[in-house]
Amino acid sequence: MCTLQLLMLPVFVLMLPEGAQHQPSFFPTGAVPTPAVLGPVTQGGPIPTPQDVPGIFTVGPTPVTPSMPGNRTMDLFPVLPICICDLTPGACDLNCCCDRDCYLLHPRTVFSFCLPGSVRSSSWVCVDNSLIFRSNSPFPSRVFTDSNGIRQFCVLVNNSKLNYSQKLQKVNATNFQALAVEFGGESFPSALQTQLPPLFYRAGDPILTYFPKWSVISLLRQPAGVGTGELCADRNPAGFLESKSTTCTRFFKNLTSSCTFDPALDAASYYNFTVLKIPTGLTDLQNMKFQVPVTLASQASPPLLVGNTCQNAVSQVIYDIETNGTFGIQKVSVSFGQTNLTIEPDVSLQQEFIIHFRAFQQSMSTSLTGPRSGNPGYIVGKPLLVRTGDTSHSMTLLQSQGYGTCSIKRYEVQFGVNAISGCKFRLMETDCSRLQQEICQTLHGRPTPEHVAIFGNADPAQKGGWTRILRRNCSVSIMNCTSCCFIPVSLEIQVLWAYVGLQSNPQAQVSGARFLYHYKTIRDSHQGTDVHLTTLVNFVDITQKPEPPRGQPRMDWKLPFDFFFPFKVAFSRGVDSQKCSVSPILILCLFLLGIFNLETT
């Protein structure tokens, strides 16, 4: 009877329904889902392995999220309705591949990399491959082996609303050598290699300039301070699409001669050249279509020595550069700030150099809008935005200067970062109400914040995007003491915030803020004494996380231990006389009878 069972086994397997048979994987061991599954797999092409695809994590039952290959370019704008890294209105944010102000159809041609959240990443849900006999899913699926040797079956999640962010690749001791081989190179490239200039500027590239009068090629400079004295380094190049401000100090031993002969004080030295629109203009310097003249946006007078004063010395230089993606620089304008210097030994001058990039033909009203602290939700480390009247600015804390006294400069409050600062305040006012008002302005900063932005991209013109800061009167009087003054010595800023929106792309919003004061009593004989003032900010996370979804499968699911019990008993090798009983035969007969009934009907 046992022999009869073994002979009938192949017949039973062949008669099983098609969906119950185990389907072999069409991909070899080590195959891994990649973003290429958005379309059909190319026949004959190599199957990438987990080491070939950066950004894959397979720890626990979390979905596998591979990053997009670096050599793949696609139009990214239609697929990202929310660009969370677009922090500067009217300007192209560096490496933000979804910023529409960059006007780039293929951002990877200009940017060296894309910030997390600016490209669409593929989202996969995986389970143990032993649970899957056949996939009837209309979505792309793959089978791969993780680092523990476990084969996993993964299905691409076709939900565009859940795919805004991707996991960053982790570099550790195990994958460092592989990454070094892929991305490493020579530390010092050979100077003998002659290369043609690139077709267009990439982010961070130095901007080429041309002096037609002397036929000299140079770079656009942005002097920066170096060393403890912040002395000006004039050879610091400006980077393409890198909007920034630098300050430095110049010292003059003989200002009488330097006033008219030093080019750093002459405004003409900052615009007597042209800017190359694209680097390929180096091959044809006589072609004016590759050259952009620097136009004056403000009046600039030459330096003039009048008596004991050097007039019209340059104190500020502002370049406004309009770009049009890979078409290069379209317009350059410069404006100046000038001052008068008194001729004296070892006179110094602090200069400021600002370079601002914006999209070509973008309205100036948009570009003058303040930078965002997130789009829409706050980004940790960005300034906390507040509003006073119709003007928005950053919330600040006290900052000390030499000997610990309070400085005019203040620290910016960074979202999500708890901080504390303090300084010494000299009590010089004798009137109590005026003293209280002066200390309150020192604690708050000028102007005093009235509202806090709910999101990082709040517009001052839209009142619904701001919430009022809860506070009580900073000045408090004492009823029982006529020779006392109750002054505030500490300000605690409490900010309540929470994550809202999708769990795959949460956005941080401020729910509320309040000012808490701590006071101290002083006597009338307080003039000339010092009081230590303190400001601190505390961020409290009040996010209420929902219950985890129950529809997602887990990779560690297992079948019941006795699921295949009758078949294991009937068809196991080395059966004894008890296993060759009537029960297995009866089971086979019932299966065959059912199949015959289906055929006859």
Side-chain angles (χ1 to χ4, degrees):
M1 184 63 68
C2 294
T3 305
L4 178 61
Q5 295 175 8
L6 296 177
L7 291 176
M8 296 181 64
L9 174 61
V11 179
F12 167 70
V13 175
L14 293 175
M15 290 183 178
L16 284 176
E18 183 181 1
Q21 299 183 25
H22 177 73
Q23 299 294 324
S25 173
F26 292 95
F27 300 89
T29 301
V32 60
T34 67
V37 301
L38 297 176
V41 179
T42 304
Q43 297 294 333
I47 301 299
T49 61
Q51 290 78 13
D52 298 330
V53 182
I56 293 181
F57 301 88
T58 59
V59 180
T62 56
V64 180
T65 306
S67 63
M68 184 173 293
N71 59 356
R72 179 166 181 166
T73 59
M74 58 185 298
D75 189 1
L76 297 174
F77 295 144
V79 297
L80 287 179
I82 300 177
C83 187
I84 61 177
C85 58
D86 182 11
L87 303 181
T88 308
C92 179
D93 290 273
L94 266 182
N95 299 318
C96 184
C97 293
C98 57
D99 190 348
R100 298 178 184 273
D101 297 323
C102 299
Y103 293 94
L104 301 175
L105 291 180
H106 304 290
R108 293 182 185 273
T109 59
V110 176
F111 297 142
S112 57
F113 67 95
C114 292
L115 290 171
S118 63
V119 295
R120 179 63 55 80
S121 61
S122 301
S123 180
W124 297 81
V125 174
C126 302
V127 296
D128 193 286
N129 188 44
S130 62
L131 302 180
I132 304 299
F133 287 80
R134 178 169 180 169
S135 172
N136 295 325
S137 171
F139 308 112
S141 60
R142 291 292 184 270
V143 177
F144 74 99
T145 304
D146 63 7
S147 58
N148 298 324
I150 301 176
R151 291 171 62 82
Q152 298 175 358
F153 175 82
C154 299
V155 178
L156 180 66
V157 178
N158 188 18
N159 189 346
S160 61
K161 295 182 179 180
L162 298 180
N163 292 336
Y164 290 132
S165 301
Q166 58 185 349
K167 294 183 179 178
L168 296 178
Q169 183 179 11
K170 294 182 179 179
V171 180
N172 48 40
T174 58
N175 62 358
F176 179 78
Q177 293 298 333
L179 295 176
V181 173
E182 182 179 359
F183 300 104
E186 299 178 356
S187 299
F188 301 96
S190 174
L192 299 177
Q193 296 178 355
T194 58
Q195 297 180 354
L196 295 176
L199 297 177
F200 46 81
Y201 290 110
R202 290 176 61 91
D205 288 350
I207 300 173
L208 299 173
T209 59
Y210 178 63
F211 292 83
K213 184 177 181 179
W214 300 284
S215 298
V216 174
I217 299 174
S218 183
L219 301 177
L220 182 64
R221 310 291 184 178
Q222 186 177 14
V226 295
T228 56
E230 295 292 326
L231 300 179
C232 290
D234 293 319
R235 300 187 62 84
N236 180 53
F240 182 68
L241 292 182
E242 292 183 349
S243 300
K244 59 182 179 180
S245 173
T246 58
T247 57
C248 62
T249 305
R250 299 186 187 275
F251 291 91
F252 304 96
K253 293 184 177 180
N254 187 2
L255 186 58
T256 303
S257 59
S258 300
C259 179
T260 54
F261 293 100
D262 194 335
L265 301 178
D266 190 358
S269 61
Y270 297 98
Y271 64 89
N272 61 349
F273 53 83
T274 61
V275 176
L276 295 188
K277 183 180 297 185
I278 52 178
T280 52
L282 289 172
T283 58
D284 189 5
L285 293 173
Q286 303 304 321
N287 193 344
M288 295 303 297
K289 73 175 185 179
F290 292 118
Q291 301 182 25
V292 180
V294 181
T295 59
L296 282 174
S298 65
Q299 295 183 354
S301 303
L304 183 63
L305 184 63
V306 179
N308 198 33
T309 304
C310 178
Q311 299 180 355
N312 304 326
V314 174
S315 60
Q316 186 184 56
V317 181
I318 303 176
Y319 285 106
D320 189 71
I321 303 176
E322 298 184 17
T323 63
N324 191 11
T326 55
F327 293 97
I329 297 173
Q330 305 298 318
K331 183 179 178 181
V332 181
S333 60
V334 62
S335 58
F336 297 96
Q338 295 180 310
T339 185
N340 298 331
L341 298 177
T342 302
I343 297 178
E344 56 185 13
D346 298 331
V347 64
S348 63
L349 171 65
Q350 188 178 47
Q351 291 181 318
E352 183 180 17
F353 300 89
I354 302 174
I355 295 184
H356 179 68
F357 291 87
R358 60 188 179 93
F360 182 56
Q361 294 180 347
Q362 191 76 14
S363 63
M364 287 297 295
S365 59
T366 304
S367 62
L368 293 177
T369 305
R372 304 185 180 106
S373 293
N375 190 24
Y378 275 99
I379 297 176
V380 176
K382 292 295 183 178
L384 181 65
L385 302 181
V386 293
R387 179 170 61 88
T388 304
D390 295 331
T391 304
S392 64
H393 52 95
S394 302
M395 185 175 288
T396 58
L397 300 177
L398 292 172
Q399 181 175 351
S400 62
Q401 56 183 357
Y403 302 102
T405 58
C406 296
S407 173
I408 299 178
K409 296 182 179 180
R410 298 173 65 88
Y411 295 112
E412 280 190 340
V413 175
Q414 299 177 351
F415 179 80
V417 180
N418 298 334
I420 182 172
S421 63
C423 61
K424 291 189 299 183
F425 181 83
R426 179 63 58 90
L427 302 178
M428 300 301 297
E429 184 65 47
T430 55
D431 184 71
C432 182
S433 60
R434 294 181 179 178
L435 179 61
Q436 290 175 341
Q437 184 179 3
E438 185 177 356
I439 295 178
C440 289
Q441 290 181 352
T442 303
L443 292 174
H444 297 150
R446 296 182 176 87
T448 302
E450 298 175 353
H451 297 80
V452 62
I454 298 176
F455 285 106
N457 61 349
D459 187 355
Q462 298 179 356
K463 308 301 182 182
W466 304 78
T467 180
R468 179 173 292 277
I469 300 175
L470 302 178
R471 52 190 294 181
R472 59 181 179 180
N473 190 10
C474 182
S475 302
V476 179
S477 60
I478 302 178
M479 302 298 297
N480 300 327
C481 184
T482 57
S483 61
C484 303
C485 188
F486 207 45
I487 61 173
V489 293
S490 177
L491 170 62
E492 181 181 358
I493 306 171
Q494 294 182 350
V495 181
L496 304 181
W497 68 278
Y499 280 119
V500 297
L502 299 173
Q503 283 188 327
S504 60
N505 186 28
Q507 301 295 314
Q509 75 166 16
V510 172
S511 302
R514 67 173 179 176
F515 288 168
L516 296 179
Y517 303 97
H518 299 276
Y519 298 89
K520 179 181 179 180
T521 304
I522 59 174
R523 296 292 179 179
D524 288 342
S525 58
H526 60 264
Q527 189 174 4
T529 59
D530 292 334
V531 175
H532 186 74
L533 303 182
T534 305
T535 53
L536 64 147
V537 59
N538 185 23
F539 290 86
V540 181
D541 185 2
I542 59 172
T543 304
Q544 295 182 358
K545 298 182 179 180
E547 295 183 1
R550 300 179 180 179
Q552 296 287 351
R554 300 186 325 198
M555 283 192 295
D556 56 350
W557 272 356
K558 301 297 181 182
L559 295 175
F561 71 95
D562 57 348
F563 184 80
F564 296 101
F565 171 72
F567 308 105
K568 291 181 179 180
V569 172
F571 306 120
S572 61
R573 295 182 179 180
V575 295
D576 52 12
S577 58
Q578 293 181 356
K579 294 182 180 179
C580 297
S581 59
V582 182
S583 298
I585 301 175
L586 182 59
I587 294 174
L588 286 178
C589 293
L590 291 175
F591 271 104
L592 294 175
L593 182 60
I595 295 174
F596 291 152
N597 290 335
L598 291 175
E599 290 180 354
T600 56
T601 58

